[in-house]
């Protein structure tokens, strides 16, 4: 009963029929003035959890948010909904600032967004302390924890908010936090009595795929990314690369094939970044090729694919990055390319960081867990959700593993041979030479090498079968690639695990590539991929399957929206999401009342745009 006003606000302002998942519980807690820690997956609808209580409770809601881009987007979207929102960030000129303060101090704001740095300034804090606050929301709260994957020292100062604003309920929100990170958020932010609400991490509209890179080189990965994008023409997506150079090179290569692709990384100056972000948000079918500097808070709802040209750093990062696809609830894809050399690189990078050893150890473990998932043979969505602590998760039915369960080959014996060879060779050789050794094909072999018991014991397996086995051992941490200044050498990994393999207590299974184990096939022949492509494209074609008149209406609505967005200088989805436009095109409403019943059409938008939308639907322009 108490929630009725909240539900009414959700309907009237947002045009959503009802709360979903944990939203109603969290809103109820906030309305009752209690602290909350909320872990909801990306796209799970975190923002209304504090926006509605901020509107309904007396006073202004203060929202701490890490990025200016995120803030301005949220504030724009709120204004479109008719909510009194503003932001205080370093991008404002003095006059705009004064204006925001005037509104806040007159009690005319429902929501004020601020960065953690802004809040760290004493004079800002003191000025805010004089205001009546409805609540404080801390977005991307995992940034406070060094056990999380994106620790930001700035966030540490947020620990004092409880003391600075006694009696003001606080809510910390994040999309990714394992149990340890959650505990750390609670203690760092002094949310000791907060109710903790962890939603399911399921993202049923995302279909996940992971592909092993065919070869370690950049060009092969770039080529594969180009293929993947060519098959998704006209769709908007994000491609993550491990390096700035990588983003530039790939964006250029894509642009050369006519894809509206842009590079984005922290090395660009701020104006350039803003411009590229704006283009990505505004242009249909734009592709952003970015480092991880891009994304947090980028709230574009119709991203249809996220491709990792280089793998992410952890399962948290994976889920967060992939989670930027399909926020509108429509189908989207997450495709990750990975290889054994990537994990070697990841481990090296962690080792080079300036961090206490225990934090490094956490990150190494997180990296290994990620590769185990990518290279594993069980449902990807289930692996991720289990990692986040969900129990009894059913297979998703849509990931590559669920769609085409891999045949597993028991290669324990081959693994024993490979491990023994590396042991005998004492870490002196790289992967190619170890394979030559195993297959007895070392050119001008030295007598001492030929005399080893492991020389030629692997003749029954083709070289690329051996490559698979060794890659897998690297990913499982049974072998390690010592960088050796760009000429990597194979050495042994976890000694206890290796003993278990020798004893046969630990079995090694890899995905079966039938001809890879036939020594009669030519070595070095690139592996052929089977399946995958066709049904992926079929799913992506769902929209194309709509009747022609619906598609025409949708295109008219989209054209109308594009013009309006340009006029108002906001991203198109701030006006209406694609999903809402599709619904309108399908429903073909003939009156304002009918239009108002469509999800995503709230009162403010109905008043402002209703007539234009009906005109576009009826094509009377
Ligand atoms: P998050 O911040 O958790 O990633 P958002 O708050 O941006 O998610 O919400 C994601 C999308 O879901 C937005 O488009 C939002 O309008 C929509 N949404 C949120 N709550 C609801 C709801 N109760 N019913 C329908 N759509 C909703
Ligand atoms: Zn699955």
């Amino acid at each position: 009963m108490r929630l009725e006003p909240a539900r009414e606000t959700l309907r009237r302002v947002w045009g959503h029929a009802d709360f979903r998942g944990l939203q109603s519980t969290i809103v109820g807690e906030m309305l009752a003035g209690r602290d909350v820690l909320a872990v909801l997956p990306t796209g799970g609808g975190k923002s209304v959890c504090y926006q509605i209580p901020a509107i309904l409770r007396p006073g202004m809601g203060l929202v701490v948010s890490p990025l200016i881009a995120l803030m301005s987007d949220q504030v724009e979207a709120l204004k479109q909904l008719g909510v009194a929102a503003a932001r205080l960030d370093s991008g404002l000129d003095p006059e705009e600032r004064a204006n925001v303060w005037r509104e806040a101090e007159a009690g005319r704001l429902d929501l004020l967004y601020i960065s953690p740095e802004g809040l760290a300034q004493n004079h800002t804090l003191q000025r805010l302390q004089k205001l009546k606050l409805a609540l404080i929301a801390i977005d991307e709260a995992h940034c406070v924890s060094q056990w999380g994957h994106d620790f930001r020292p700035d966030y540490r100062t947020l620990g004092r908010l409880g003391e600075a604003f006694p009696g003001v309920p606080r809510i910390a929100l994040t999309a990714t936090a394992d149990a340890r990170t959650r505990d750390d958020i609670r203690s760092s932010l002094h949310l000791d009595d907060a109710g903790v609400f962890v939603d399911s991490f399921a993202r049923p509209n995302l279909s996940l795929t992971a592909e092993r890179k065919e070869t370690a080189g950049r060009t092969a990965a770039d080529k594969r990314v180009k293929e993947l994008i060519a098959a998704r023409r006209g769709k908007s997506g994000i491609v993550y690369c491990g390096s700035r150079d990588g983003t530039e090179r790939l964006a250029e290569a894509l642009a050369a094939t006519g894809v509206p692709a842009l590079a984005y990384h922290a090395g660009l100056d701020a104006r350039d970044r803003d411009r590229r972000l704006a283009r990505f948000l505004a242009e249909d079918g734009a592709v952003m090729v970015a480092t991880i500097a891009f994304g947090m808070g980028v709230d574009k709802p119709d991203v249809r694919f996220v491709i990792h040209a280089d793998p992410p750093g952890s399962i948290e990062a994976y889920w967060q990055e992939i989670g930027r696809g399909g926020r509108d609830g429509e189908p989207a894809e997450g495709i990750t390319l990975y290889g054994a050399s990537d994990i070697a690189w990841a481990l090296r990078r962690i080792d080079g960081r300036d961090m206490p050893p225990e934090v490094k150890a956490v990150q190494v473990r997180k990296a290994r867990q990620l590769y185990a998932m990518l290279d594993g043979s069980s449902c990807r969505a289930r692996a991720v959700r289990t990692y986040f602590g969900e129990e009894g998760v059913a297979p998703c039915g849509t990931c590559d593993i669920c769609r085409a369960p891999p045949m597993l080959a028991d290669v324990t014996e081959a693994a024993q041979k490979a491990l023994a060879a590396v042991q005998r060779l004492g870490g002196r050789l790289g992967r190619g030479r170890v394979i030559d050794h195993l297959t007895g094909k070392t050119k001008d072999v030295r007598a001492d090498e030929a005399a080893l018991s492991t020389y030629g014991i692997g003749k029954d397996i083709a070289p690329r079968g051996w490559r698979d086995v060794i890659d897998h051992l690297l990913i499982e941490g049974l072998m390690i690639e010592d960088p050796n200044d760009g000429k990597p050498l194979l050495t042994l990994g976890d000694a206890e695990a290796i003993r278990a393999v020798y004893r046969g207590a630990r079995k090694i299974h890899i995905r079966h590539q039938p001809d890879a184990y036939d020594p009669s096939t030519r070595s070095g022949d690139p592996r052929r991929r089977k399946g995958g492509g066709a049904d992926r494209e079929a799913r992506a074609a769902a929209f194309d399957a709509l009747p022609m008149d619906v598609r025409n209406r949708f295109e008219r609505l989209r054209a109308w929206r594009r013009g309006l967005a340009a006029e108002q200088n906001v991203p198109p989805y701030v006006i209406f999401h694609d999903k809402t436009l599709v619904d309108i095109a399908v429903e073909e409403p003939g009156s304002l009342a009918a239009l108002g019943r469509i999800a995503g059409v709230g009162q403010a938008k109905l008043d402002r745009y209703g007539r234009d939308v009906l005109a576009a639907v009826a094509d009377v322009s």
Side-chain angles (χ1 to χ4, degrees), residues 169-180:
R170 285 172 298 142
I171 174 170
L173 305 113
T174 172
T176 47
D178 60 9
R180 183 168 201 176

Side-chain angles (χ1 to χ4, degrees), residues 352-371:
R353 282 193 196 132
D354 182 20
M355 292 180 303
E358 65 275 15
V359 177
K360 281 187 187 174
V362 172
Q363 300 208 345
V364 167
R365 187 162 46 87
K366 284 185 186 294
R368 290 226 176 275
Q369 284 168 316
L370 169 80
Y371 283 87

Side-chain angles (χ1 to χ4, degrees), residues 10 14 16-20 23 40-48 74 299 301 327 577:
L10 181 72
W14 276 266
H16 298 325
D18 204 346
F19 288 118
R20 49 180 201 208
Q23 283 176 331
L40 309 185
T42 311
K46 281 185 286 300
S47 24
V48 297
Q74 290 247 6
D299 189 11
R327 290 165 70 108
H577 283 183

Side-chain angles (χ1 to χ4, degrees), residues 333-355:
E333 297 174 278
I335 303 166
T336 308
L337 307 183
Y338 69 99
S341 58
D342 293 315
I343 187 167
W345 193 69
L347 297 178
R348 207 147 68 231
R349 218 173 20 165
I350 293 169
D351 196 48
R353 282 193 196 132
D354 182 20
M355 292 180 303

Side-chain angles (χ1 to χ4, degrees), residues 413-439 449 452-457 466 469-471 473-474 477-482 488-494 498 502:
E413 199 186 312
Q416 290 164 343
K417 290 178 182 170
L419 289 165
V422 168
Q423 186 170 20
R424 298 282 187 290
L425 292 166
R428 282 184 289 113
L429 303 181
R431 198 183 325 192
R433 283 281 285 103
V434 169
I435 292 172
D436 288 346
H437 176 90
L438 281 164
T439 50
E449 185 183 332
L452 294 174
S453 62
T454 47
Y455 188 74
I457 54 166
W466 279 118
V469 171
I470 291 174
D471 277 354
L473 294 174
L474 284 164
L478 293 160
M479 283 186 193
I480 293 175
E481 218 160 31
D482 173 356
L489 300 176
L490 287 182
T491 60
L492 292 182
D494 182 347
I498 290 171
Y502 282 144

